[in-house]
């Protein structure tokens, strides 16, 4: 059989305009249109992902802030009386304790106030009064 | 939504655990740490009991006033019965309050150092005999159920009332003076310890003369405190037993104020002395 007879005639028909130096629209596969519900689902997932990322950033910032705060408190704990007791001399501690006792003995402070009761309770009037 | 719920709950769990573990425990205040718990368990128990009994008394006093007014208005036999019952109850509750208060004073005074022993023992005896007198009065109330009986009990209580004032204000004054005296004694011991410690240290002539001047100044303060306390003690001893009343006690508190201020200044001086 002749080779020319094996040529695809249909193909040639499409290629013909090329040889003729003409613009031809080649057959293009049409993109399959997405389902609208599927599009929404994708958007929702993106939003959720974004929310988690923002939340994680927020949490990290919070942890950093709290950790810094803790360090500040630890620094402040240096002023804790127990630490002070360790640093103060035993004589100074005795003076401080005495000062607390003195505050408790302040004459202007009311302690052991006389009972708030009526010492003259009577059903009938006192005949002597 | 379910997919979002799982990571979100995880994130919240992380946030809460971080807050829970990282949030520091508040440091205790200076006073909380330094306060020396001088009160014994018995004093704490008595204070709680006293507070509860005062509450009960207030309620029964209210009930007594209502019953009494009701009887005065309607003058019925039932209202009379109710008012007698309310009077007995309020008298009983008052006795409980008064006894517990005396026991509280007795324990506190017994626990207070710095009070001259014979004066302290005398005051304690007065408190104890008064407790017994009120207990007897309390027993009489329990067996009284008529109008004449509660009126007789009210008359009898007048004698207790007078003795109560004297014993209470005397004990209160002794407790107040004793506390200040104890602090002064302790301050003097600390002063002696500081001097002994500083004498062992090697210091230049300049520093030694500076310390010597400080010792003299502190010594002068202690002498002034001693004089103040001695005056208070003598005014206490010289007073008649009947004069131990509210105004006597208030005068004692007033006289204690300059002594208190002087001791506070002495403590400042002792602190300063430690830095010299």
């Amino acid at each position: 059989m002749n080779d020319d007879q094996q040529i695809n005639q249909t193909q040639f028909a499409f290629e013909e305009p090329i040889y003729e130096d003409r613009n031809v629209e080649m057959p293009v596969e049409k993109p399959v249109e997405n389902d609208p519900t599927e599009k929404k689902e994708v958007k929702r997932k993106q939003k959720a992902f974004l929310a988690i990322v923002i939340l994680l950033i927020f949490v990290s910032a919070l942890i950093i802030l709290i950790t810094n705060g803790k360090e500040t408190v630890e620094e402040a704990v240096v002023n804790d009386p127990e630490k002070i007791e360790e640093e103060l001399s035993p004589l100074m501690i005795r003076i401080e304790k005495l000062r607390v006792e003195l505050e408790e003995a302040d004459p202007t402070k009311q302690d052991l106030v006389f009972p708030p009761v009526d010492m003259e309770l009577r059903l009938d009037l006192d005949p002597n009064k | 939504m379910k997919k979002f719920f799982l990571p979100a709950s995880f994130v919240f769990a992380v946030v809460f655990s971080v807050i829970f573990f990282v949030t520091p425990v508040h440091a205790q205040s200076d006073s909380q740490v330094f306060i020396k718990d001088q009160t014994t368990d018995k004093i704490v128990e008595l204070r709680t009991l006293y507070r509860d009994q005062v509450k009960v008394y207030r309620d029964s006093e209210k009930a007594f006033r209502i019953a009494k007014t009701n009887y005065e208005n309607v003058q019925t036999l039932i209202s009379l019965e109710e008012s007698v019952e309310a009077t007995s109850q309020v008298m009983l509750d008052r006795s409980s309050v008064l006894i517990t208060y005396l026991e509280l004073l007795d324990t506190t005074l017994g626990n207070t150092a710095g009070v001259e022993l014979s004066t302290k023992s005398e005051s304690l005896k007065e408190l104890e005999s008064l407790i017994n007198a009120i207990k007897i009065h309390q027993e009489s109330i329990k067996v009284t159920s008529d109008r004449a009986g509660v009126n007789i009990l009210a008359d009898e209580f007048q004698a207790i009332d007078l003795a109560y004032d004297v014993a209470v204000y005397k004990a209160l004054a002794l407790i107040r003076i004793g506390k200040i005296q104890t602090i002064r004694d302790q301050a003097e011991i600390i002063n002696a310890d500081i001097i002994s410690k500083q004498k062992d240290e090697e210091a230049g002539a300049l520093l030694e003369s500076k310390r010597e001047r400080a010792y003299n100044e502190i010594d002068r303060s202690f002498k002034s405190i001693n004089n103040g306390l001695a005056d208070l003690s003598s005014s206490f001893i010289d007073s008649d037993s009947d004069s131990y009343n509210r105004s006597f006690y208030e005068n004692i508190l007033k006289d204690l104020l300059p002594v208190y201020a002087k001791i506070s200044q002495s403590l400042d001086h002792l602190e300063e002395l430690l830095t010299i």
Side-chain angles (χ1 to χ4, degrees):
Chain A
M1 270 175 88
N2 196 345
D3 282 342
D4 292 344
Q5 286 176 331
Q6 289 176 358
I7 292 168
N8 185 346
Q9 291 297 317
T10 317
Q11 188 182 353
F12 176 76
F14 280 120
E15 286 172 354
E16 188 186 15
I18 299 168
Y19 295 119
E20 286 176 3
D21 200 19
R22 279 195 295 157
N23 290 331
V24 166
E25 282 186 13
M26 293 294 283
V28 180
E29 274 186 32
K30 278 188 178 179
V32 182
E33 278 191 18
N34 285 338
D35 188 5
T37 53
E38 207 173 307
K39 261 186 174 179
K40 279 183 183 174
E41 184 66 27
V42 171
K43 274 189 176 178
R44 212 156 58 86
K45 277 181 182 173
Q46 281 174 345
K47 276 183 182 175
F49 179 73
L50 201 66
I52 291 169
V53 169
I54 290 168
L55 211 59
L56 278 172
I57 293 166
F58 173 73
V59 170
S60 313
L62 202 69
I63 291 170
I64 291 164
L65 275 175
I66 292 170
T67 317
N68 285 345
K70 194 188 175 189
E71 278 166 14
T72 320
V73 171
E74 275 169 0
E75 282 164 18
V77 166
V78 174
N79 294 327
D80 190 286
E82 281 175 16
K83 296 258 178 188
I84 289 170
E85 278 204 31
E86 283 168 19
E87 289 167 12
L88 288 176
S89 70
L91 283 165
M92 191 63 99
I93 292 166
R94 280 165 66 191
I95 294 171
E96 288 304 320
K97 284 180 177 172
L98 206 55
R99 204 182 279 287
V100 173
E101 284 179 33
L102 185 67
E103 270 175 36
E104 286 173 6
D106 185 347
T108 57
K109 273 189 185 174
Q110 286 203 330
D111 189 30
L112 294 167
V113 184
F114 197 88
V117 295
D118 185 352
M119 300 294 263
E120 293 171 355
L121 284 170
R122 293 192 74 90
L123 179 58
D124 291 321
L125 288 173
D126 186 352
N128 300 322
K129 283 189 179 175
Chain B
M1 194 64 197
K2 277 181 185 174
K3 281 181 183 177
F4 176 68
F5 179 74
L6 196 67
S9 54
F10 170 75
V11 168
F12 279 114
V14 169
V15 172
F16 283 115
S17 24
V18 164
I19 290 169
F20 181 77
F21 286 112
V22 177
T23 305
V25 176
H26 292 291
Q28 285 179 290
S29 71
D30 292 21
S31 58
Q32 275 175 315
V33 174
F34 282 122
I35 281 176
K36 183 187 170 189
D37 190 14
Q38 286 183 316
T39 50
T40 59
D41 289 345
K42 195 182 173 190
I43 291 175
V44 174
E45 276 172 30
L46 284 170
R47 276 185 189 267
T48 313
L49 178 65
Y50 176 70
R51 207 171 40 239
D52 294 345
Q53 286 177 339
V54 168
K55 270 185 204 163
V56 172
Y57 166 79
R58 280 188 179 138
D59 290 343
S60 61
E61 194 192 323
K62 210 170 166 184
F64 159 72
R65 305 261 175 233
I66 292 167
K68 192 181 173 185
T69 312
N70 186 42
Y71 169 65
E72 284 166 359
N73 290 337
V74 297
Q75 297 278 325
T76 62
L77 290 173
I78 292 173
S79 64
L80 175 63
E81 279 290 308
E82 284 170 354
S83 61
V84 169
E85 205 177 300
T87 311
S88 298
Q89 189 57 52
V90 73
M91 282 178 161
L92 266 179
D93 293 338
R94 179 181 63 183
S95 306
S96 304
V97 170
L98 296 176
I99 290 170
T100 308
Y101 182 72
L102 288 176
E103 285 173 345
L104 189 57
L105 284 186
D106 185 74
T107 315
T108 310
L109 180 60
N111 217 31
T112 308
V115 183
E116 203 262 316
L117 278 179
S118 62
T119 319
K120 185 178 182 174
S121 134
E122 191 188 317
S123 179
L124 288 174
K125 269 182 195 165
E126 283 167 9
L127 292 174
E128 278 151 26
S129 79
L130 202 53
I131 289 171
N132 290 331
I134 300 175
K135 277 183 179 170
I136 292 167
H137 173 73
Q138 203 171 31
E139 288 307 311
S140 306
I141 298 168
K142 283 178 189 168
V143 293
T144 304
S145 56
D146 60 339
R147 182 180 190 168
V150 289
N151 284 332
I152 290 168
L153 286 171
D155 294 337
E156 283 175 3
F157 187 75
Q158 285 178 352
I160 294 175
D161 181 15
L162 289 172
Y164 199 87
D165 270 23
V166 171
V168 163
Y169 285 116
K170 188 178 177 180
L172 281 173
L174 284 175
I175 291 168
R176 291 294 194 145
I177 295 171
K179 278 185 179 176
I180 296 284
Q181 179 75 48
T182 310
I183 293 163
R184 189 213 70 91
D185 294 346
Q186 287 175 12
E188 207 158 325
I189 294 169
I190 293 173
N191 181 42
D193 289 349
I194 293 172
I195 293 171
S196 130
K197 181 183 168 264
Q198 289 184 340
K199 293 264 186 224
D200 293 341
E201 289 171 7
E202 279 188 23
L206 190 70
L207 188 62
E208 273 187 6
S209 65
K210 206 175 177 182
R211 281 177 176 173
E212 203 59 45
R213 285 195 294 277
Y215 298 153
N216 291 336
E217 189 53 41
I218 291 168
D219 197 43
R220 253 197 299 278
S221 287
F222 279 125
K223 275 181 184 157
S224 152
I225 294 165
N226 288 350
N227 291 338
L229 284 169
D231 289 347
L232 271 172
S233 296
S234 59
S235 75
F236 192 90
I237 292 162
D238 295 342
S239 302
D240 294 330
S241 61
D242 293 344
S243 62
Y244 299 123
N245 51 26
R246 190 186 175 87
S247 67
F248 166 82
Y249 174 59
E250 282 170 354
N251 284 335
I252 290 276
L253 291 181
K254 212 191 287 174
D255 293 344
L256 269 174
L257 273 173
V259 180
Y260 174 84
K262 204 78 188 163
I263 294 182
S264 179
Q265 191 192 43
S266 298
L267 292 183
D268 290 342
H269 287 167
L270 288 176
E271 270 188 9
E272 260 189 270
L273 182 62
L274 278 174
T275 60
I276 296 174

